[in-house]
Amino acid sequence: MAALDERDRALATRLVMGSVAAEGELDRVIDAHLRRGGRLEPRVRDALRIAVFEALYLSTPTYVSTSQGVELVRSVAPRVAGLANAVLHRVVDEDLPVLVAARDRVETGDFTEDDLARVGALPAWLVSAVVSSCGRDAARRVALSALDAAPLYVGANRARHSVDETFSLLVDAGCEPAACEVEGAFELGRPSGLAASGLVEAVDVLPADLAAQYVARAVAPRSGETVLEVGQGRGTKTVLMESAALATGGPATIVAVDVDEPKACVSRHRMKQAGIASHTSTAGLDATLLGGPDIPPALDRGFGVVLVDAPCSGTGTMRRHPEIAWSLMPEVVDPARDDSLPALQLRILRAAASRVRVGGTLAYATCSLL
């Protein structure tokens, strides 16, 4: 990848991310054109997935995607080039028209769930779950955008720089920032400049989807407020919440917990880098125990703000994490099961609620559409 220019790197990334996001649908299409019981070597299947993704879901001329696909398969298994040629021609002749018709129906609003699954390259069960949770129109928007590249947003670390200073840093890095409706949030028109800038490593800016920045802004602790953050992860929302507090005149005191002690160590180091370690602390703790008696003294009290950033399916982040759609199992998000994510979320929420002081705020967030 390093040897490619910016445009070719972008295409290579698009092909890889897209073929992972659409994996199950691509396999269905490929297998329909193999002899019954036919099997492909993993490298051949990977190459065909990339080729079929380009033929179906990108605007590449079909003769180009077919030719390139055959050569890609030939590069890993020369003897299979003939098979690849036959499969790709059938995909273009048979599957592409069906997809185009399904997309037309989705765009006009007269569609079935099967159309949504095909257009978004999503599992049928997941499409049904999104329709049930969010409604047909929202599910339609999800399907139409599922394979698009996700925009890149960053948030300002106001313990380091003002919003204006952050904007200037991003301009100097060639990122082409545009201010968003959330104060301190920027969408990057040219994200490639961020990697070489060093701004992320120094925690001058924080890559964070706009929805995550909305959460931190909605909680918006005041100067001097006490905050309990449940599910800290790498601490992005911690820095964003502290930034919101600093915008009101001074820091908040944030105590965070994460079930994974190694993650807690990473977060503590990141808080030092961000310049807010003196006002934040992190404990490795199972959040379902927050309502019990045997917890660290720093947590055994009431907080003005409690944010539960719950473990979830991540279905709201599928464009950024393309492996989710086809690796997620229905039982994981079934609220009727005691071992499901919804059941765990409810146990955490109940425990965390016991730590909200009288008159305080309890906030709950997930990255899920369900």
Side-chain angles (χ1 to χ4, degrees):
M1 288 282 282
L4 301 176
D5 64 26
E6 184 174 332
R7 181 176 177 181
D8 287 342
R9 266 201 315 276
L11 175 59
T13 300
R14 183 84 174 86
L15 290 170
V16 171
M17 296 281 279
S19 62
V20 172
E23 178 181 309
E25 176 64 11
L26 299 176
D27 283 346
R28 183 194 68 77
V29 169
I30 291 167
D31 291 342
H33 299 302
L34 300 178
R35 292 178 182 175
R36 181 172 296 180
R39 300 186 65 181
L40 296 172
E41 296 177 19
R43 291 194 307 164
V44 172
R45 183 170 289 277
D46 285 343
L48 272 177
R49 284 171 178 162
I50 290 172
V52 172
F53 174 77
E54 183 173 23
L56 291 180
Y57 292 103
L58 299 188
S59 57
T60 309
T62 55
Y63 71 89
V64 174
S65 62
T66 300
S67 174
Q68 291 180 158
V70 171
E71 292 308 309
L72 181 59
V73 172
R74 192 193 308 277
S75 71
V76 298
R79 68 186 184 284
V80 191
L83 172 65
N85 185 63
V87 167
L88 290 172
H89 274 93
R90 288 173 185 162
V91 167
V92 168
D93 293 342
E94 299 173 22
D95 298 288
L96 183 57
V98 173
L99 176 60
V100 169
R103 179 174 284 275
D104 287 344
R105 289 191 292 271
V106 171
E107 288 177 342
T108 59
D110 183 20
F111 57 85
T112 66
E113 288 187 7
D114 285 344
D115 290 332
L116 294 178
R118 191 182 297 271
V119 168
L122 297 166
W125 77 265
L126 183 54
V127 168
S128 294
V130 174
V131 169
S132 177
S133 291
C134 305
R136 282 173 58 86
D137 189 56
R140 169 181 170 273
R141 295 197 301 273
V142 169
L144 288 172
S145 64
L147 298 175
D148 292 343
L152 181 59
Y153 298 95
V154 297
N157 174 8
R158 279 182 274 190
R160 284 282 186 81
H161 307 284
S162 70
V163 173
D164 289 342
E165 288 169 346
T166 302
F167 180 81
S168 296
L169 288 171
L170 292 168
V171 170
D172 292 343
C175 295
E176 299 178 5
C180 301
E181 56 268 36
V182 179
E183 186 182 9
F186 301 95
E187 182 176 0
L188 304 187
R190 189 170 173 269
S192 59
L194 189 62
S197 70
L199 295 175
V200 174
E201 290 78 2
V203 201
D204 290 314
V205 300
L206 301 106
D209 282 332
L210 201 57
Q213 298 195 54
Y214 267 119
V215 170
R217 192 63 183 169
V219 173
R222 298 182 302 276
S223 173
E225 186 70 89
T226 58
V227 181
L228 172 61
E229 181 184 7
V230 180
Q232 185 183 32
R234 296 186 67 248
T236 295
K237 288 191 182 72
T238 314
V239 181
L240 292 173
M241 286 191 293
E242 197 65 89
S243 291
L246 289 167
T248 70
T253 299
I254 302 178
V255 180
V257 298
D258 198 284
V259 70
D260 190 340
E261 176 57 35
K263 280 187 180 179
C265 289
V266 170
S267 182
R268 291 185 196 107
H269 177 67
R270 198 176 186 213
M271 298 307 100
K272 290 180 182 178
Q273 289 181 300
I276 62 172
S278 60
H279 305 291
T280 62
S281 60
T282 304
L285 181 75
D286 180 346
T288 62
L289 303 177
L290 283 169
D294 300 323
I295 61 173
L299 299 171
D300 193 12
R301 57 184 170 124
F303 292 84
V305 175
V306 175
L307 168 63
V308 178
D309 197 359
C312 69
S313 62
T315 49
T317 66
M318 289 187 293
R319 288 197 295 172
R320 202 167 305 289
H321 300 284
E323 74 284 353
I324 287 175
W326 292 97
S327 62
L328 184 66
M329 295 292 104
E331 56 268 23
V332 174
V333 294
D334 182 356
R337 294 177 60 106
D338 289 339
D339 60 349
S340 69
L341 281 170
L344 173 61
Q345 290 163 353
L346 186 55
R347 291 196 297 273
I348 291 173
L349 183 60
R350 283 175 171 154
S354 69
R355 296 298 163 189
V356 185
R357 66 166 169 75
V358 174
T361 298
L362 175 64
Y364 178 83
T366 73
C367 300
S368 175
L369 295 168
L370 308 180

